[in-house]
Amino acid sequence: DAKTTQPNSMESNEEEPVHLPCNHSTISGTDYIHWYRQLPSQGPEYVIHGLTSNVNNRMASLAIAEDRKSSTLILHRATLRDAAVYYCIPLNNTNAGKSTFGDGTTLTVKP
Amino acid sequence: VTQNPRYLITVTGKKLTVTCSQNMNHEYMSWYRQDPGMGLKLIYYSVGAGITDKGEVPNGYNVSRSTTEDFPLRLELAAPSQTSVYFCASRMRGQRSSYNSPLHFGNGTRLTVT
């Protein structure tokens, strides 16, 4: 299984963009890059995922490096509600059940 | 994904079961534990009814998958080291390599073993 590396913590000011990096240098060609976030005292929730092209949805954008060894989750305007732990995880359709998480990045948003 | 109970307090040596069910017809289901300030550790997972396999931290736990909908987690002899928050997750199996679905998580079960 591909391993991921994320910074332990990051800080942002409210209303400013946030770029959360993830390294996944051992990713396989069939792995999609998924991002989840976990708000305090809640279960993880899906944010976004992609394979090769950059992706956008109502929550965030995902920028994937051309060699796919790293990706960046972009929150365009951080709010206090975005304070959470963010996890990146490679998933494909064969390892789908055996999904292992790292420790993620704790994002603090300052008012 | 529905987990029950949300909170559970028990004593060392007791046998207990945490239930997990989903009605999305997801083939894949998993159990994770999360200790304070840490990430999620995979306990067991299942790729379909009748099939289960060990994850990173399976010792002290058992699971079964008799139906697609249900994936209960059992602790045969609860121990203080199993005090943690437990999350169940499910995911659809992609029929095509070009399709990739997200994980859906339950709200968690906070277990305390004294």
Side-chain angles (χ1 to χ4, degrees), chain A residues 3-37:
Chain A
K3 300 298 181 185
T4 60
T5 303
Q6 298 178 254
N8 289 334
S9 62
M10 293 185 66
E11 283 189 354
S12 172
N13 294 317
E14 197 174 12
E15 304 287 320
E16 290 185 354
V18 182
H19 291 230
L20 297 164
C22 179
N23 287 321
H24 30 77
S25 58
T26 59
I27 195 169
S28 76
T30 57
D31 283 340
Y32 283 69
I33 299 151
H34 284 236
W35 283 82
Y36 295 83
R37 73 179 186 180

Side-chain angles (χ1 to χ4, degrees), chain B residues 3 7 54 56-57 69 80 97 102 109:
Chain B
Q3 290 181 233
Y7 301 91
K54 296 178 181 179
E56 303 168 278
V57 291
E69 294 77 19
S97 61
T109 295

Side-chain angles (χ1 to χ4, degrees), chain B:
Chain B
V1 181
T2 303
Q3 290 181 233
N4 280 298
R6 288 295 308 277
Y7 301 91
L8 184 56
I9 300 174
T10 190
V11 297
T12 300
K14 286 291 187 181
K15 180 178 180 179
L16 62 93
T17 299
V18 183
T19 63
C20 175
S21 64
Q22 50 88 14
N23 59 2
M24 296 174 282
N25 204 31
H26 286 175
E27 292 89 347
Y28 298 133
M29 296 187 75
S30 311
W31 274 105
Y32 295 87
R33 63 174 286 174
Q34 185 174 37
D35 298 330
M38 306 296 286
L40 292 93
K41 297 295 184 184
L42 180 65
I43 305 172
Y44 269 95
Y45 67 98
S46 169
V47 299
I51 306 170
T52 63
D53 208 346
K54 296 178 181 179
E56 303 168 278
V57 291
N59 292 341
Y61 305 95
N62 276 311
V63 295
S64 59
R65 185 92 183 271
S66 57
T67 65
T68 299
E69 294 77 19
D70 300 305
F71 191 44
L73 177 71
R74 296 184 179 86
L75 284 68
E76 299 294 336
L77 289 171
S81 61
Q82 294 176 308
T83 294
S84 190
V85 180
Y86 293 84
F87 292 99
C88 181
S90 72
R91 184 173 182 236
M92 182 185 301
R93 176 179 180 177
Q95 296 300 317
R96 310 185 307 272
S97 61
S98 58
Y99 177 76
N100 196 260
S101 67
L103 285 162
H104 297 255
F105 284 87
N107 288 327
T109 295
R110 185 174 296 275
L111 171 65
T112 302
V113 184
T114 60

